[in-house]
Amino acid sequence: MSASGAVQPGPPGAAVGPSPTAAALSDTGPLFRPLSAEDEEQQPTEIESLCMNCYRNGTTRLLLTKIPFFREIIVSSFSCEHCGWNNTEIQSAGRIQDQGVRYTLTVKGQEDMNREVVKTDSATTRIPELDFEIPAFSQKGALTTVEGLISRAILGLEQDQPTRRAMEGAIAERIDEFIGKLKDLKQMASPFTLIIDDPSGNSFVENPHAPQKDSALVITYYDRTPQQAEMLGLQAEAPEEKSEEEDLRNEVLQFNTNCPECNAPAQTNMKLVQIPHFKEVIIMATNCERCGHRTNEVKSGGAVEPLGTRITLHITDPSDMTRDLLKSETCSVEIPELEFELGMAVLGGKFTTLEGLLKDIRELVTKNPFTLGDSSNPDQSEKLQEFSQKLGQIIEGKMKAHFIMNDPAGNSYLQNVYAPEDDPEMKVERYKRSFDQNEELGLNDMKTEGYEADLAPQR
């Protein structure tokens, strides 16, 4: 069943004041500031707007801010002092991500209902147990909770019920019955599954157990289909004819892109590099001349290995922090002493040192407002601060720990400082992938032998 009627037609208010972008640009400092309660200069822009409920003037407040995992967003809130109508929504102000994202949450209790959710316009929301779906672009973006999503759907289904009861009583009765099922979900009458599928990659569901792994939440990244790319207004590039083969090993390639922080034009350098005692990888580095932001990303230059790789390093000395490290996008990281697990695709591919990766992990946790900001609870903040302190002790060499890299694709690497001899503090295991791991890598549907014989009868 669709909840496409969950949004009032038209915007919450028709602006008659000055442009918010022009007003924000007139101030000094960056246009999008990080979300922080301590930033006194971060104030919303107020615009006198027309209320679409009573057609008198109300107020729209716009806040241009930056949230981790979503780049920049615009938070808008409309309120009318005459009739009491109010509405809030968000819009993504950053670029569309390289991949789509699908969040699958098993809701079992009230704690799950209170999870923070960022849902963009392009996201589709589904509850399989009720065969219920909110299609993409049928609602405005929202910064809410799981319970708020359900309440918003109930409100949308109820808004035209008086008219339906007068004209189509049977349909109105069925919708009333369905609304009752949604209200039962709000009261947690039974567990259910919530799926948010966003081809733009800009939606988010909170993990209240961060930085530990959330067993109730599954995050899947995927490549968009041509239909999804067209829905987002992305024009697929026409395939170009292959030119003669070039030797890329001795050449640094450059191509134009946009800075992921300030969105200004920048250049990305790409180089094919041979790592000793390992394999070839592609290193891409971007340096923004406008804001000074630097980033690097590593892609595997070869195929998926026949076996997965698990590398276990016992950190016993501060010199271990200087080991070179290659983490692919398919690699997960574990630190058992901290009960910490970093899932695949988080932080992307990196070619750095062990110290650099641990600092990136600490920054990922401490700079997330959902975990250590005003929206977090005191118990969670205390646990995360303790985690950050212990991680700092490991980086400084004051605490021994085990560092585990698990890569089903076999494309990750940790430097052996005793090479070509064995490292007494490092253990490298090769293992056969499970069916689920092959499924995540897309290998179960890939046939590399005998496929020509299957195509012959079709010809």
Side-chain angles (χ1 to χ4, degrees):
M1 185 170 185
S2 173
S4 58
V7 175
Q8 295 284 351
V16 296
S19 168
T21 303
L25 283 172
S26 62
D27 298 331
T28 58
L31 185 62
F32 291 88
R33 293 177 178 270
L35 187 62
S36 173
E38 299 177 358
D39 189 355
E40 297 180 355
E41 297 182 6
Q42 187 182 41
Q43 297 295 331
T45 302
E46 295 189 359
I47 307 171
E48 187 177 358
S49 308
L50 179 66
C51 176
M52 302 306 294
N53 188 49
C54 67
Y55 297 102
R56 301 175 72 176
N57 283 347
T59 303
T60 295
R61 294 175 176 85
L62 296 174
L63 180 65
L64 281 65
T65 187
K66 184 187 299 181
I67 294 181
F69 309 108
F70 316 110
R71 310 300 179 192
E72 300 87 359
I73 65 168
I74 301 174
V75 183
S76 65
S77 173
F78 175 80
S79 60
C80 179
E81 60 181 7
H82 304 290
C83 67
W85 170 259
N86 59 78
N87 187 28
T88 60
E89 64 183 56
I90 69 163
Q91 294 180 349
S92 175
R95 63 182 181 87
I96 294 175
Q97 302 303 307
D98 296 332
Q99 290 183 307
V101 64
R102 182 185 301 109
Y103 291 89
T104 304
L105 175 64
T106 303
V107 182
K108 299 179 180 179
Q110 191 59 41
E111 181 184 6
D112 294 325
M113 295 291 285
N114 294 333
R115 290 178 186 244
E116 298 280 353
V117 175
V118 174
K119 176 185 173 297
T120 65
D121 299 8
S122 58
T124 299
T125 304
R126 292 193 293 271
I127 302 178
E129 287 81 358
L130 299 184
D131 194 21
F132 174 70
E133 177 177 315
I134 303 176
F137 298 106
S138 63
Q139 288 184 344
K140 293 293 184 180
L143 174 60
T144 179
T145 61
V146 174
E147 183 178 3
L149 283 177
I150 298 176
S151 299
R152 196 178 184 192
I154 293 174
L155 181 63
L157 292 171
E158 288 179 339
Q159 65 183 6
D160 293 329
Q161 279 297 85
T163 305
R164 293 193 190 101
R165 292 190 185 98
M167 303 183 65
E168 299 174 323
I171 295 178
E173 184 177 347
R174 290 173 57 191
I175 293 178
D176 283 334
E177 180 181 352
F178 190 83
I179 291 174
K181 294 180 180 179
L182 286 176
K183 290 182 178 179
D184 289 339
L185 290 186
K186 284 184 61 178
Q187 301 300 323
M188 288 307 303
S190 62
F192 64 94
T193 304
L194 176 70
I195 301 175
I196 296 181
D197 191 338
D198 187 1
S200 73
N202 286 323
S203 289
F204 170 77
V205 176
E206 178 193 8
N207 173 9
H209 309 293
Q212 277 77 32
K213 183 178 180 180
D214 190 347
S215 59
L217 181 64
V218 178
I219 306 174
T220 306
Y221 297 90
Y222 60 88
D223 294 328
R224 284 184 286 270
T225 64
Q227 292 78 11
Q228 289 173 328
E230 183 179 357
M231 179 182 68
L232 295 173
L234 302 176
Q235 184 176 359
E237 297 182 359
E240 299 180 357
E241 296 183 0
K242 294 184 178 180
S243 58
E244 298 181 359
E245 294 185 0
E246 299 178 358
D247 186 9
L248 303 180
R249 291 171 177 79
N250 299 320
E251 185 177 355
V252 177
L253 301 180
Q254 293 184 337
F255 54 91
N256 296 326
T257 183
N258 289 339
C259 173
E261 287 294 324
C262 67
N263 209 34
Q267 276 196 336
T268 295
N269 297 329
M270 183 174 68
K271 180 74 167 62
L272 192 63
V273 178
Q274 173 68 45
I275 296 181
H277 308 289
F278 191 53
K279 60 171 67 174
E280 287 183 337
V281 297
I282 300 173
I283 298 179
M284 294 186 291
T286 303
N287 183 11
C288 179
E289 296 181 355
R290 179 175 177 180
C291 69
H293 176 73
R294 295 183 179 182
T295 182
N296 69 78
E297 187 175 0
V298 178
K299 301 286 186 181
S300 173
V304 176
E305 294 294 314
L307 298 174
T309 303
R310 182 183 292 107
I311 304 173
T312 304
L313 173 66
H314 187 201
I315 302 174
T316 58
D317 191 86
S319 61
D320 289 330
M321 294 294 110
T322 62
R323 292 177 184 247
D324 289 333
L325 177 148
L326 172 65
K327 175 192 171 298
S328 74
E329 293 180 331
T330 57
C331 178
S332 61
V333 174
E334 297 179 44
I335 304 177
E337 287 78 2
L338 302 184
E339 298 182 356
F340 172 78
E341 180 174 347
L342 183 73
M344 295 192 328
V346 181
L347 291 179
K350 281 188 173 292
F351 183 50
T352 178
T353 62
L354 180 57
E355 180 182 8
L357 182 62
L358 293 179
K359 286 184 176 180
D360 286 342
I361 292 174
R362 183 170 63 180
E363 183 178 354
L364 180 71
V365 174
T366 57
K367 290 195 174 182
N368 185 357
F370 289 112
T371 57
L372 284 176
D374 294 336
S375 60
S376 63
N377 59 62
D379 293 338
Q380 185 182 19
S381 297
E382 184 177 347
K383 291 180 181 179
L384 291 173
Q385 288 174 358
E386 181 182 356
F387 169 82
S388 179
Q389 291 174 359
K390 290 183 178 180
L391 191 60
Q393 292 176 1
I394 294 176
I395 295 174
E396 295 171 2
K398 299 179 180 178
M399 176 180 175
K400 296 182 179 180
H402 289 82
F403 179 81
I404 303 173
M405 298 174 63
N406 188 359
D407 188 357
N411 288 325
S412 293
Y413 161 83
L414 183 60
Q415 182 185 11
N416 175 6
V417 294
Y418 295 90
E421 304 296 332
D422 291 338
D423 190 332
E425 302 296 341
M426 188 169 72
K427 181 181 178 182
V428 181
E429 303 172 81
R430 309 285 180 182
Y431 63 88
K432 186 177 180 181
R433 286 184 290 269
S434 66
F435 178 86
D436 291 338
Q437 288 173 327
N438 281 329
E439 187 71 19
E440 288 188 21
L441 296 174
L443 299 179
N444 288 334
D445 298 328
M446 189 180 298
K447 189 173 183 180
T448 58
E449 297 179 358
Y451 59 88
E452 294 181 350
D454 294 339
L455 293 176
Q458 300 178 9
R459 297 175 182 171

